[in-house]
């Protein structure tokens, strides 16, 4: 990450609600750090290799939900994807994913902090395919 960017720290609060990540991400496997690093424009999302299998499985076991993709009681995150921003390490997944219209929602953990990732359907397909290839 460049020194012009910044890193988000959640400090145990939450649950957080991500904006919809629409563009297909790029991914890099960082074996020395046991991380699969996704980049959505300027947003860097590191996923622990131990979380790759469960997250790929959760994206495969998707359900349709009647409710919207809003997260009642969640803290909305708002950031500019054009700026460089690094998220903390995604360490786990809470259950399955669900699809609301054109948005796939998956509840995840950044350490102890819960959050809901929201991905466009094409982005979720790319993420799921990559995660299934690197799952340990």
């Amino acid at each position: 990450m460049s020194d012009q960017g910044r890193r988000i720290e959640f400090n145990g609060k939450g649950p957080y609600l991500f904006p919809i990540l629409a563009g297909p991400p790029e991914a890099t496997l960082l074996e020395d750090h046991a991380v699969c690093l996704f980049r959505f424009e300027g947003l860097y999302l590191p996923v622990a290799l131990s979380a790759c299998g469960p997250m790929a499985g959760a994206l495969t076991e998707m359900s349709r939900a009647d409710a919207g993709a809003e997260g009642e009681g969640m803290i909305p995150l708002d950031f500019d994807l054009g700026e460089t921003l690094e998220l903390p390490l995604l360490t786990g997944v809470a259950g399955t994913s669900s699809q609301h219209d054109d948005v796939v929602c998956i509840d995840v953990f950044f350490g102890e902090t819960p959050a809901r990732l929201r991905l466009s359907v094409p982005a979720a397909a790319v993420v799921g395919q990559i995660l299934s290839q690197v799952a340990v």
Side-chain angles (χ1 to χ4, degrees):
M1 185 170 126
S2 78
D3 56 3
Q4 293 178 350
R6 49 187 190 146
R7 181 178 173 89
I8 288 182
E9 295 293 339
F10 291 134
N11 300 323
K13 296 179 182 175
Y16 290 98
L17 180 65
F18 274 76
I20 298 168
L21 303 176
E26 294 177 12
T28 304
L29 180 60
L30 305 173
E31 291 183 77
D32 292 347
H33 301 284
V35 165
C36 182
L37 181 64
F38 287 94
R39 184 171 70 86
F40 295 87
E41 296 181 39
L43 179 71
Y44 289 84
L45 172 63
V47 178
L49 289 183
S50 60
C52 289
M55 192 168 173
L59 288 169
T60 302
E61 299 295 322
M62 191 179 318
S63 64
R64 295 265 321 150
D66 295 330
E70 304 82 26
E72 190 171 319
M74 296 184 136
I75 302 165
L77 293 173
D78 185 27
F79 39 76
D80 181 0
L81 292 178
E83 294 181 18
T84 301
L85 183 65
E86 183 181 346
L87 294 168
L89 182 65
L90 188 152
T91 56
V93 177
T96 61
S97 61
S98 58
Q99 183 176 343
H100 310 270
D101 298 322
D102 296 335
V103 178
V104 175
C105 297
I106 182 167
D107 291 333
V108 297
F109 291 98
F110 294 90
E112 298 292 318
T113 305
R116 177 168 294 158
L117 282 180
R118 298 187 300 169
L119 305 165
S120 68
V121 171
V126 170
V127 168
Q129 181 180 21
I130 291 168
L131 290 172
S132 66
Q133 292 174 3
V134 299
V136 291

